[in-house]
Amino acid sequence: MTVVDCVFQTLKVSVMGEEETRGLQSVFRQKTPSPFRPYVVLEFAVGAKQPAIEWMISKLQASESSGGADLEVSAVVMTFKKQTVLYIGAKNSRLLTAADMTGLSKIYKDNHYREFSIEDMANFKGIEDVDSFLTTAEKQKLILHEMEAVRASDEEDHIPGYDKIKLWTGKSILKKYLSRDIITKMYPLHEPEDLKKLGADWYQIKRIFKEQPIDDIRHYFGEKIALYFAFLGYYTIALIPPAFIGIIYFITSWQSMYREAIFAVFNLIWATIFLEVWKRYCSELSYRWGTIDMVSSTYDEPRANYFGTLGENPVTGKPEPVFPKWKRSFRFYCVTVPIVSVALGIAFYIMLGYFVMQEWADKKYASEKSWVNFSVLYLPTVIYAVLIGIVNSIYRKVAKKLNDWENHRLQSAYDNHLIVKLILFDFVNCFISLFYVAFYIQDMALLRSHLAALLITQQLIGQVQEAMVPFLFLTRRKKQVDASMKKQDALQKVEYFNGEVTEEVQKQAGMESEMEEYNGTMDDYLEMFLQFGYVFLFSSAFPLAALWALINNVTEIRSDAFKMVNIFQRPFAESASNIGAWQVAFELISIMAVMTNCALIGMNPEVRKLLPSDITAVNIVLIFVAVEHIILAIKVAVACLIPDQPKWVEIELAKIAYQSKLALQEKHYQVTSHKHVHRSESDKEKIDALLKEKSQ
């Protein structure tokens, strides 16, 4: 029986066993009868032990001073599955305090974003309506932050009811529950009306060639996801010029040694222009959203999964886990590096196996040219493309385990190390065969066919996985939900809650519980990174690569949007000022593309004929190294000529800095003036007292 089937048969803890009822009710504090609105749902595992449930509720409800999250909690028990579901909310005062502590940016009276402060609360726009001052996405993010901030103390060495599940001092209790499957699901609730409107403006067929509603995406899903879709859209537009040239090359019969060289040079310069212009657009978005000055520093709070002995932050003085740097370095260099090296070796031998299979297929076709053998001719490439996807997915799980074990303090450091691991392996796994064909076998025709087969096969597999499979799952889930709705009238409900959780909210939570969990933008960026490599690394060999990428991305934008609206649970909003380490990764590919394309052009027999017949191999290499450096110099010049930020953004940031300086000076003046007045009055009193004493 699904969660949807059970959610309508909900009882408060009073319908459980009498002993369990007393235990669970005892952890609830008395609340005012103010309306309760849940924002986040926690689902315990079926059969989760009662002491663990009670302890989690008490931690979520306890005050901050006693190590709790100070949130509002309502429990729902599904009698058929004996499963407890917690609905989490928070009072406005608690959310505003959390916004102050986390430095959430909101619009100030001067129309600029500033970190929210309770002391200066009256000067922020929209504060008159406290309920709508924070968006739902912001409230959910703050609630998550407060839940994750509840950490185990020295005395709390295990989870109640689970003596064998030990707790690290300073470890996030919520993360421990999730990692040990005591809590199986955690998700913020959707806003059905807003989501419906967003979907209509985003993925409908009639809007397929229109601009994405990036600001609406940011408002609903947060900056990190909005920046991904903005980058995907910008990259898709940037593919139009090389795709157009590729089509012209395909339909014309012009054959010349300059053909590939011109296209390669254009692509290399165009890639730089695209990446630099994107940085400008990204800075505009991050300024508009108030995240442009986000930087990681030593006083940032550690990740929720960060563990170690409980110590103190040397900058803020706040208690937090401490993990020696030498241990992290030891784990990285002595464990992670060897394992990644072995994985790279496996990818290399898989590539060699592919060429053995291809040689067998070529011989079979050469011996008997039939339709069956012709299909066998391309079978190894298809198998290799599928194997690449399988091996990539296995390695990603291994890389995540290693990254978790390394125990990075900041989320930015964690993400960057994971990105490096994924990029390194996927680059070798996906491109090593192309380098082998291009520079060892040196067969341009084989390189062209092999590149086309890999690119098209992987994109077709990706489209099936990302578009067709989710659609089938959606259809199946709708049938399940419809069937469960018919049973609703036959179910008898008794509802008792600390705060009223309406039947509509319970029904919504039951449906969203069955949705897939969204695992972040990592895989989406990685897919784009590999496609970018296929298009630009060997552009002189296959000019039509950009066209295939363009077609794929046009559908990718809408299929990803469809999944975000209909398939996935709502993710917690995350702030971001740029695309992070992925910007560097794309720039490195564009630099490497200069080297590969110059080498390919240099190996062209037609180009070799232009050189003197008595020229040595060393001189040939030097000539093309010089050409490569000239193109790199042009790329650097283009990057320098295009500022990372538009002039108007620089001016606005300067204005904010100046206004902040004036505000600090004014505050300092008020403090010193008060001290001066107080001191003058005190001195006058002392003088009067002394004169009075002498006169007597």
Side-chain angles (χ1 to χ4, degrees), residues 137-187:
E138 289 171 338
K139 292 176 181 178
Q140 291 166 339
K141 179 169 66 172
L142 292 171
I143 288 174
L144 175 65
H145 175 272
E146 296 307 310
M147 290 194 299
E148 291 181 340
V150 178
R151 297 179 179 272
S153 64
D154 292 330
E155 296 78 22
E156 297 166 336
D157 59 351
H158 70 279
I159 295 176
Y162 297 90
D163 295 341
K164 294 183 179 180
I165 301 180
K166 302 300 179 184
L167 286 172
W168 289 80
T169 301
K171 172 78 173 181
S172 171
I173 294 174
L174 177 64
K175 287 294 185 180
K176 193 67 174 181
Y177 271 66
L178 288 166
S179 65
R180 300 307 293 264
D181 289 329
I182 301 173
I183 292 177
T184 55
K185 293 181 182 179
M186 177 178 69
Y187 51 92

Side-chain angles (χ1 to χ4, degrees), residues 51-69:
I53 297 174
E54 294 176 11
W55 192 54
M56 172 56 72
I57 294 174
S58 67
K59 283 291 185 182
L60 293 177
Q61 288 190 313
S63 63
E64 288 184 275
S65 58
S66 58

Side-chain angles (χ1 to χ4, degrees), residues 197-210:
K197 183 177 181 301
L198 177 61
D201 294 337
W202 195 4
Y203 68 81
Q204 297 293 339
I205 296 178
K206 62 183 179 181
R207 296 189 60 85
I208 192 168
F209 295 112
K210 294 185 178 181

Side-chain angles (χ1 to χ4, degrees), residues 390-460:
I390 295 172
V391 174
N392 280 351
S393 63
I394 294 173
Y395 175 80
R396 288 176 195 180
K397 295 179 181 178
V398 174
K400 189 178 184 305
K401 291 285 186 183
L402 290 172
N403 220 50
D404 291 339
W405 187 62
E406 289 168 15
N407 195 29
H408 299 281
R409 178 180 177 274
L410 297 178
Q411 187 63 44
S412 57
Y414 177 89
D415 291 341
N416 290 340
H417 278 79
L418 183 58
I419 289 170
V420 169
K421 291 182 181 70
L422 295 180
I423 284 176
L424 181 62
F425 180 80
D426 280 38
F427 182 87
V428 172
N429 195 29
C430 295
F431 297 128
I432 190 171
S433 61
L434 296 173
F435 280 95
Y436 186 83
V437 172
F439 303 116
Y440 184 76
I441 300 177
Q442 296 186 9
D443 187 335
M444 287 293 290
L446 178 59
L447 174 63
R448 187 177 296 108
S449 63
H450 184 52
L451 173 58
L454 284 179
L455 175 62
I456 296 171
T457 302
Q458 289 190 14
Q459 289 189 164
L460 288 175

Side-chain angles (χ1 to χ4, degrees), residues 249-496:
Y249 274 29
F250 180 73
I251 62 178
T252 58
S253 58
W254 176 45
Q255 297 294 331
S256 170
M257 59 188 171
Y258 300 110
R259 171 187 166 110
E260 285 78 15
I262 293 172
F263 185 72
V265 171
F266 169 80
N267 266 7
L268 298 175
I269 304 302
W270 183 249
T272 302
I273 294 173
F274 152 63
L275 291 172
E276 293 302 317
V277 174
W278 157 253
K279 281 194 284 189
R280 288 173 61 85
Y281 180 57
C282 183
S283 69
E284 291 183 27
L285 291 177
S286 57
Y287 170 76
R288 208 161 71 207
W289 298 338
T291 60
I292 194 167
D293 56 352
M294 281 182 55
V295 290
S296 297
S297 60
T298 54
Y299 59 82
D300 281 351
E301 292 190 13
R303 293 186 308 119
N305 274 332
Y306 181 65
F307 59 86
T309 57
L310 194 61
E312 186 178 274
N313 188 302
V315 178
T316 64
K318 293 181 180 179
E320 70 172 48
V322 176
F323 189 79
K325 186 177 180 180
W326 69 265
K327 283 188 178 181
R328 187 179 303 112
S329 300
F330 176 81
R331 293 182 176 191
F332 178 76
Y333 290 107
C334 298
V335 179
T336 299
V337 171
I339 291 177
V340 172
S341 300
V342 170
L344 295 178
I346 292 172
F348 177 75
Y349 280 105
I350 290 176
M351 182 269 295
L352 292 180
Y354 155 70
F355 283 109
V356 171
M357 285 193 300
Q358 189 63 58
E359 185 179 3
W360 168 80
D362 291 340
K363 289 180 179 179
K364 188 173 181 62
Y365 181 69
S367 63
E368 183 182 352
K369 294 185 177 181
S370 63
W371 284 106
V372 175
N373 288 343
F374 180 77
S375 61
V376 170
L377 191 63
Y378 292 94
L379 187 61
T381 302
V382 175
I383 293 174
Y384 182 54
V386 173
L387 275 177
I388 285 176
I390 295 172
V391 174
N392 280 351
S393 63
I394 294 173
Y395 175 80
R396 288 176 195 180
K397 295 179 181 178
V398 174
K400 189 178 184 305
K401 291 285 186 183
L402 290 172
N403 220 50
D404 291 339
W405 187 62
E406 289 168 15
N407 195 29
H408 299 281
R409 178 180 177 274
L410 297 178
Q411 187 63 44
S412 57
Y414 177 89
D415 291 341
N416 290 340
H417 278 79
L418 183 58
I419 289 170
V420 169
K421 291 182 181 70
L422 295 180
I423 284 176
L424 181 62
F425 180 80
D426 280 38
F427 182 87
V428 172
N429 195 29
C430 295
F431 297 128
I432 190 171
S433 61
L434 296 173
F435 280 95
Y436 186 83
V437 172
F439 303 116
Y440 184 76
I441 300 177
Q442 296 186 9
D443 187 335
M444 287 293 290
L446 178 59
L447 174 63
R448 187 177 296 108
S449 63
H450 184 52
L451 173 58
L454 284 179
L455 175 62
I456 296 171
T457 302
Q458 289 190 14
Q459 289 189 164
L460 288 175
I461 293 173
Q463 286 296 322
V464 170
Q465 288 179 335
E466 296 184 9
M468 296 301 298
V469 173
F471 179 77
L472 294 175
F473 272 112
L474 177 66
T475 305
R476 178 174 174 268
R477 188 173 69 251
K478 282 184 176 179
K479 290 180 179 178
Q480 291 177 338
V481 171
D482 290 341
S484 66
M485 294 297 107
K486 293 178 182 178
K487 300 177 183 178
Q488 179 180 357
D489 295 336
L491 296 176
Q492 188 176 2
K493 304 194 300 280
V494 181
E495 300 172 355
Y496 300 96

